[in-house]
């Protein structure tokens, strides 16, 4: 493994332990240069911890990681010159204005006063932040702060940008804007590694995706391969009588030959389908058993479905799962 | 891009100055941060002078040469606790995550905060002396020596702020920083000759007051401002300040690096 590499990020067996909790438990990642790479997983899967290790914010307890060939533990200062990090919680100064924030970050990145000032102006315009240019950020919405956060990560146009759940909590319009910005970053030569809880976000943006669960990569590949691995759709059913739940589960798992069925105690079921035709088989099976349903829908795969298929449990741990 | 794995001294200094600039910007945005360095000097000076003046020195005007240098030391040194408290609060905000991921000298956020706080000491110093002047204090040594005395207090407070910065870095909450710091500072400032002459105290307390570095600082300031004399107390104060910095600066920096 020389320093010349086509990989922006190369992680092997990364481990981070908090107390008795192995938050990251042997994560391998290979992020090609110039790509948008998605790390997909539910809350608490270890996405943020992984990013923090790659961005030199946390020291790994095991394994190794390189950013453009530079070891994150041995050469942290080199790595920091190559990355921009935008966290889940906006890491900007809320008592300062947007302009002051950008100016200070520019100065810290080695720009002169004049350069910092003009770069701040450029970014304020580009990210539609002029409104917050002069007033302290705490007076503004989360979306505004998030945009500033991203702008601050782009002051020096780093070749690798980490985005930790860049659109969580944003309204749809701001979300779409953020997606465009991210696409633009890659067109201008950067590599982006983003984490997300949303399959559609990965679908929209990412060239490749790693699915993380309980600190481990459970699947890796293009979004299309991932989706096809879990079937094309999922069937949602609502039973008229929740008491029929166990019988219904037995019938469905018999018809589809799967145990990966999500259910709630009140009689709602989510079933992954290899193809939509199977809906009829399921419904006929239920009719024969005399089980009535009140609602039915067929949906495209969701992150929950991906999780169910890959890990045997839902993305939201509250959900009861048949296994 | 020119990529290195180390930072030069000039870069570290520049990063620290930028961080100090940031702290000053924050003060401008939230001027209420300066409440302690504005109200405390005014209120303390008025309060203590009129409470103790008659009892200790017979009248207020003959108490002023004793109390103003004493209060100057007490007020400004107490202000330096805020360095630790604010450092803790600052380190808990999200922006510190960004500082950690930036290619800047690790020491810069710490050094910047301590540097910017000298502005606070300057305000407290100026206000205490100005209050004294308004109440009739006329230091005999003249303007130049009073300025020197002020600088000595600011330098000492800066040195002391390393102790509180250390608590700021290792403590978990801002209020615990305040608590620990007060426990240390309260006896140091009150069990000194800052407010009263030590002659009436019990013998054992006099011993403590005599070795207390704060007493030496107070005496040094009094001598400097009232008579313009430079003596061993000044040397002891400077030496004490240097020792505090030599011990606590590396400790603080090490603790900070481990967390950063």
């Amino acid at each position: 493994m020389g320093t010349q590499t086509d990989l922006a990020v190369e992680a092997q067996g990364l481990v981070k332990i908090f107390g008795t909790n192995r938050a990251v438990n042997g994560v391998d990642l290979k992020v090609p240069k110039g790509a948008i790479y998605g790390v997909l997983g539910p809350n608490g899967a270890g996405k943020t911890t992984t990013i923090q290790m790659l961005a030199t914010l946390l020291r790994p307890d095991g394994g190794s990681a390189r950013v453009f060939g530079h070891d994150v533990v041995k050469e942290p200062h080199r790595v920091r010159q190559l990355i921009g990090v935008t966290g889940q919680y906006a890491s900007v100064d809320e008592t300062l204005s947007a302009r002051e924030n950008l100016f200070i970050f520019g100065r810290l990145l080695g720009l002169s006063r004049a350069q910092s000032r003009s770069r701040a102006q450029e970014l304020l315009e580009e990210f539609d932040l002029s409104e917050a240019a002069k007033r302290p950020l705490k007076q503004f919405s989360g979306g505004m702060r998030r945009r500033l956060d991203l702008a601050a990560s782009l002051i020096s146009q780093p070749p690798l940008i980490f985005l930790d759940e860049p659109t969580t909590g944003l309204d749809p319009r701001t979300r779409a804007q953020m997606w465009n910005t991210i696409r633009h970053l890659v067109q201008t030569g950067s590599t982006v590694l983003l984490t997300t809880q949303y399959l559609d976000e990965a679908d929209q943006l990412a060239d490749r995706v790693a699915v993380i669960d309980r600190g481990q990569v459970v699947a890796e590949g293009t979004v299309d391969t991932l989706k096809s691995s879990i079937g094309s759709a999922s069937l949602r059913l609502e039973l008229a009588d929740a008491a029929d739940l166990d019988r219904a589960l037995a019938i469905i798992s018999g018809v589809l030959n799967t145990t990966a069925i999500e259910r709630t105690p009140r009689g709602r079921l989510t079933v992954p389908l290899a193809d939509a035709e199977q809906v009829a088989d399921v419904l006929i099976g239920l009719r024969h058993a005399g089980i009535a349903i009140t609602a039915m829908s067929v949906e495209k795969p969701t992150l929950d479905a991906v999780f169910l298929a890959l890990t045997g449990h839902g993305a939201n741990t509250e959900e009861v799962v048949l296994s | 891009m020119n990529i290195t794995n180390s930072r030069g001294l000039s870069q570290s200094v520049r990063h620290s100055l930028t961080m100090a600039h940031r702290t000053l910007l924050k003060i401008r945005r939230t001027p209420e941060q300066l409440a302690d360095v504005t109200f405390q000097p005014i209120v303390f000076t008025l309060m203590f002078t009129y409470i103790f003046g008659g009892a200790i020195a017979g009248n207020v005007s003959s108490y002023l040469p004793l109390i103003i240098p004493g209060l100057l030391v007490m007020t400004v040194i107490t202000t330096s606790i805020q360095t630790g408290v604010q450092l803790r609060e600052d380190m808990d905000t999200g922006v510190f995550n960004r500082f950690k991921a930036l290619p800047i000298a690790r020491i810069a956020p710490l050094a910047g905060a301590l540097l910017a706080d000298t502005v606070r000491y300057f305000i407290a110093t100026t206000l205490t002396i100005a209050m004294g002047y308004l109440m009739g204090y006329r230091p005999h040594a003249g303007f130049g020596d009073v300025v020197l005395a002020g600088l000595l207090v600011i330098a000492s407070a800066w040195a002391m702020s390393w102790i509180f910065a250390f608590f700021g870095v290792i403590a978990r909450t801002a209020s615990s920083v305040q608590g620990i710091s007060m426990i240390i500072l309260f006896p140091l400032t009150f069990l000194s000759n800052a407010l009263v002459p030590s002659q009436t105290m019990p013998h054992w307390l006099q011993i403590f007051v005599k070795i207390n570095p704060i007493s030496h600082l107070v005496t040094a300031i009094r001598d400097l401002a009232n008579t313009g004399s430079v003596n061993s107390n000044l040397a002891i104060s400077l030496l004490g300040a240097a020792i505090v910095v030599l011990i606590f600066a590396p400790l603080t920096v090490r603790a900070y690096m481990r967390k950063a």
Side-chain angles (χ1 to χ4, degrees), chain A residues 239-248 265-267:
Chain A
L239 302 182
D241 185 354
D244 291 332
L245 198 61
D246 287 340
R247 277 203 308 141
R266 265 183 284 165

Side-chain angles (χ1 to χ4, degrees), chain A residues 239 244-254 261 269 286 291:
Chain A
L239 302 182
D244 291 332
L245 198 61
D246 287 340
R247 277 203 308 141
L249 286 171
I251 290 162
I252 297 167
S253 56
I261 301 166
L269 298 167
L286 292 175
I291 297 171

